[in-house]
Amino acid sequence: MKIQNYMEEVVADELEILLSERDDVCKCQKCRYDMMVWALNRLPPKYVITDRGRLYTKLKEQEIQFKADVVKELTRAINFVAKNPKH
Ligand SMILES: [Zn+2]
């Protein structure tokens, strides 16, 4: 068993979805990480207990509640990193 910040998974998944709709931003690994860190520092962590990759907590309802916030922060993150690339 281990403790994991489920928000990281959600942010990673949502970032891929949002980036697939954007042709105007850099999508290299460095920029992706910058976008994830930017968004994760502004979103509340969501710690869960996992066992062999399975989540104990039922997440579906919670997921819907915070997904709008994740999309909002990620969109800001993408725009910020696109304007301020570190390379
Ligand atoms: Zn880049």
Side-chain angles (χ1 to χ4, degrees):
M1 279 198 293
K2 64 175 188 172
I3 293 171
Q4 187 187 325
N5 181 6
Y6 178 66
M7 191 56 96
E8 285 179 25
E9 240 176 74
V10 176
V11 164
D13 286 351
E14 285 301 315
L15 181 64
E16 289 310 308
I17 294 166
L18 289 172
L19 282 181
S20 70
E21 296 163 354
R22 301 280 299 254
D23 291 324
D24 59 325
V25 297
C26 180
K27 297 175 187 176
C28 76
Q29 197 59 57
K30 193 166 175 51
C31 287
R32 280 169 198 253
Y33 279 147
D34 274 346
M35 291 163 186
M36 279 188 66
V37 166
W38 200 97
L40 282 169
N41 279 333
R42 286 161 181 82
L43 289 162
K46 197 136 202 86
Y47 291 106
V48 293
I49 301 161
T50 66
D51 184 19
R52 295 186 210 124
R54 285 175 63 101
L55 299 171
Y56 277 127
T57 325
K58 198 167 173 257
L59 291 161
K60 273 291 169 206
E61 299 84 34
Q62 298 171 10
E63 223 177 299
I64 293 159
Q65 285 169 16
F66 67 63
K67 203 155 244 183
D69 291 333
V70 171
V71 169
K72 193 174 74 184
E73 288 301 343
L74 266 177
T75 303
R76 284 182 189 160
I78 291 168
N79 291 334
F80 178 83
V81 173
K83 278 182 206 151
N84 306 278
K86 284 186 183 163
H87 57 79

